[in-house]
Amino acid sequence: MIRPFLQIVTLGLIPGLATADPTTSTLYATHYNTSSIYTLSLTRFNGSYSLTETASLKTCGTYPSWITLDSSTKTLYCSDEDGYRNADESVNGSLTALSVGEDGSLSEKAVTGNAPGSGVHNVVYEDEEGEKYLAIAHYSGAALSTFALPLQDDADPLQVLEFELEAPGTVPERQEAPHPHQTFLDPTGSFVLVPDLGADLIRVFAIDKSNGELSTCPSLNYTLGGGPRHGVFRTFSEEPRIRGRAPGPEPVLYVAGELNGEVEAFVVSYPNSGCLSFTQFNTNVPYPSGLPEGASLGEIRLADDDLYVSVRQDSAFDGDDSLARLSLGKDGKVEFEEISTSGGVMPRTFAINKAGDLVAVGNQLSSTVAIVERDLDTGVLGEVVAELLVGVPGDDNMEGPPMYGLSSIIWSE
Ligand SMILES: *[C@@H]1O[C@H](CO)[C@@H](O)[C@H](O)[C@H]1NC(C)=O
Ligand SMILES: *[C@@H]1O[C@H](CO)[C@@H](O)[C@H](O)[C@H]1NC(C)=O
Ligand SMILES: *[C@@H]1O[C@H](CO)[C@@H](O)[C@H](O)[C@H]1NC(C)=O
Ligand SMILES: *[C@@H]1O[C@H](CO)[C@@H](O)[C@H](O)[C@H]1NC(C)=O
């Protein structure tokens, strides 16, 4: 923040005050079975931190799973993981748009119950007129849906693309059906990518820039039994939004496989076909040796030349789980560096702030948000500097899918 000149002068006259200026950041967390979004406030003051809950709102259907902030319209989009589709029936989930007030408070703007079931992730994309759309991955709905924005009450999807699997995959108990787990954009904003954990595919869709419609491109055939969960692009240019053309040298896609516990790297190119092509060139286990029995990869994020992956239920830090750091070579190859504490149990998600010096970890089972520092020079993650129990902890002994605890965390920036 740039202060007016006069104010700097005024503060400068009061000894000690200028250095003791607290800074505050806002975060939002979704919690599955309290059906709520929580507003958190992180204050940094004189080298120490405090994390508090400033508000909560019961919203986003039965199982709030994922939120995306569109900061330009101050809107949060929340997907509800309720619902499913199988051979006998399908049950819808919901989608909620919320306004973010000046003070960070939330209020519902529009709700629709016409989304396919089990929304687990969403992303905002744009057409050439700047009109916006939301693409949603539906895990147990085995589908991808899109909605025109701004969202209207009871809106129908623009498109629902349902996926099928002819036979169960290599890990039949998890791959009995397609399970799209994430939606994200390529660096040009022209394609939506969808890791499908059930089908071992990264599905690719080209965006029609005149109307936001998606058309199906050939998928990336992922390692069988890999269970791709989340992916992230690394580009080599500061100007990624040249339409339909990748910037600079070819971008690299890194994907965390939930089922094989590996990070796989692919060079991505833009052939004249108008779709994408991928060449796998590196795989790595983000752990000192093999992943411990029962542990699995969750989130994957990139900051500068480091890749971070959450490792769920390895219990490596006095019962708490891990974040793994991998350094990236100039050639894009991945090298495991170290693990550090996630500050809680089952780090389903984490998010790095824009400055790159803090990581907020969403630990699902302990239902805690832990803030860890990130060294800007080395990329190394530190100890927990602030921590907060949000909602109600999960219970590992319960039958059925783990629809409890903290489901996602984002910075409001
Ligand atoms: C800032 O922290 C230092 C070291 O912990 C402490 O000595 C000092 O009293 C603190 N100042 C304020 C204003 O809290
Ligand atoms: C489920 O959503 C579809 C649109 O995707 C809609 O046509 C249908 O009426 C919805 N079903 C229920 C029970 O709300
Ligand atoms: C991916 O697998 C499908 C089905 O086996 C095959 O038709 C397609 O050619 C493969 N794609 C690539 C790029 O190898
Ligand atoms: C949520 O799940 C936890 C763990 O299974 C349980 O203890 C709690 O009662 C559930 N309900 C609510 C509203 O938190």
Side-chain angles (χ1 to χ4, degrees):
M1 190 166 67
I2 298 165
R3 290 178 177 283
F5 178 66
L6 274 178
Q7 218 177 333
I8 294 176
V9 173
T10 315
L11 281 173
L13 293 175
I14 304 166
L17 210 76
T19 51
D21 208 4
T23 58
T24 298
S25 319
T26 300
L27 300 99
Y28 295 105
T30 56
H31 187 281
Y32 273 131
N33 72 324
T34 59
S35 311
S36 298
I37 302 181
Y38 294 82
T39 307
L40 311 181
S41 176
L42 177 71
T43 302
R44 189 191 306 216
F45 177 66
N46 190 27
S48 67
Y49 296 83
S50 84
L51 183 61
T52 55
E53 182 182 315
T54 53
S56 72
L57 182 68
K58 218 170 161 58
T59 182
C60 192
T62 306
Y63 296 120
S65 179
W66 191 267
I67 37 176
T68 296
L69 173 65
D70 182 10
S71 48
S72 67
T73 60
K74 296 197 159 42
T75 307
L76 276 183
Y77 296 101
C78 186
S79 282
D80 167 17
E81 206 172 322
D82 197 22
Y84 55 87
R85 173 168 68 89
N86 61 32
D88 303 322
E89 62 171 346
S90 61
V91 174
N92 285 352
S94 64
L95 171 65
T96 304
L98 302 113
S99 295
V100 179
E102 283 303 324
D103 59 354
S105 64
L106 299 179
S107 53
E108 281 185 8
K109 210 154 120 177
V111 182
T112 179
N114 294 336
S118 189
V120 283
H121 200 277
N122 56 52
V123 70
V124 175
Y125 65 93
E126 283 181 31
D127 67 17
E128 62 200 359
E129 305 292 334
E131 295 292 325
K132 293 185 175 184
Y133 308 86
L134 196 73
I136 308 170
H138 301 273
Y139 185 88
S140 302
L144 171 69
S145 71
T146 61
F147 285 84
L149 302 180
L151 187 71
Q152 307 295 319
D153 276 320
D154 304 320
D156 278 324
L158 273 185
Q159 280 177 290
V160 176
L161 304 166
E162 295 186 333
F163 310 125
E164 308 292 339
L165 207 55
E166 277 167 23
T170 309
V171 185
E173 65 277 16
R174 296 292 309 279
Q175 299 187 310
E176 82 298 350
H179 290 309
H181 215 309
Q182 184 196 23
T183 49
F184 63 106
L185 304 183
D186 81 306
T188 70
S190 307
F191 297 90
V192 175
L193 284 86
V194 181
D196 185 331
L197 184 149
D200 284 328
L201 296 172
I202 310 292
R203 298 182 186 272
V204 180
F205 303 89
I207 300 169
D208 182 333
K209 286 288 183 170
S210 69
N211 59 13
E213 249 178 56
L214 302 184
S215 61
T216 304
C217 278
S219 298
L220 185 179
N221 293 336
Y222 204 76
T223 305
L224 293 180
R229 178 182 170 98
H230 280 195
V232 65
F233 273 99
R234 183 197 199 194
T235 57
F236 299 89
S237 158
E238 290 303 305
E239 295 159 31
R241 285 191 168 268
I242 307 163
R243 226 165 48 75
R245 191 159 61 80
E250 290 168 323
V252 176
L253 171 65
Y254 298 97
V255 180
E258 176 170 337
L259 301 182
N260 70 355
E262 293 194 11
V263 171
E264 305 195 6
F266 304 85
V267 172
V268 182
S269 57
Y270 289 71
N272 292 332
S273 67
C275 285
L276 298 178
S277 85
F278 303 88
T279 310
Q280 193 208 63
F281 69 96
N282 188 220
T283 68
N284 197 285
V285 177
Y287 214 72
S289 51
L291 273 194
E293 184 73 29
S296 70
L297 305 185
E299 185 64 277
I300 182 166
R301 301 278 188 185
L302 177 83
D304 303 321
D305 291 330
D306 287 292
L307 206 54
Y308 301 88
V309 184
S310 63
V311 181
R312 296 173 297 177
Q313 298 196 282
D314 68 331
S315 303
F317 295 90
D318 290 333
D320 287 349
D321 294 334
S322 303
L323 300 177
R325 181 172 73 96
L326 304 154
S327 59
L328 301 178
K330 280 217 165 30
D331 58 1
K333 284 196 179 148
V334 170
E335 196 167 323
F336 170 76
E337 295 290 346
E338 74 271 321
I339 53 171
S340 59
T341 182
S342 79
V345 186
M346 212 194 271
R348 183 172 194 270
T349 62
F350 63 96
I352 303 172
N353 68 352
K354 270 200 186 122
D357 61 349
L358 293 173
V359 180
V361 190
N363 289 296
Q364 184 184 348
L365 187 57
S366 54
S367 209
T368 49
V369 173
I371 308 291
V372 299
E373 282 182 314
R374 176 175 175 271
D375 187 306
L376 286 171
D377 295 323
T378 62
V380 172
L381 303 183
E383 296 296 312
V384 174
V385 294
E387 190 181 2
L388 185 68
L389 170 68
V390 176
V392 183
D395 178 357
D396 217 4
N397 299 314
M398 271 185 23
E399 294 281 311
M403 304 301 276
Y404 49 59
L406 194 114
S407 47
S408 73
I409 180 77
I410 59 168
W411 297 89
S412 171
E413 291 183 312

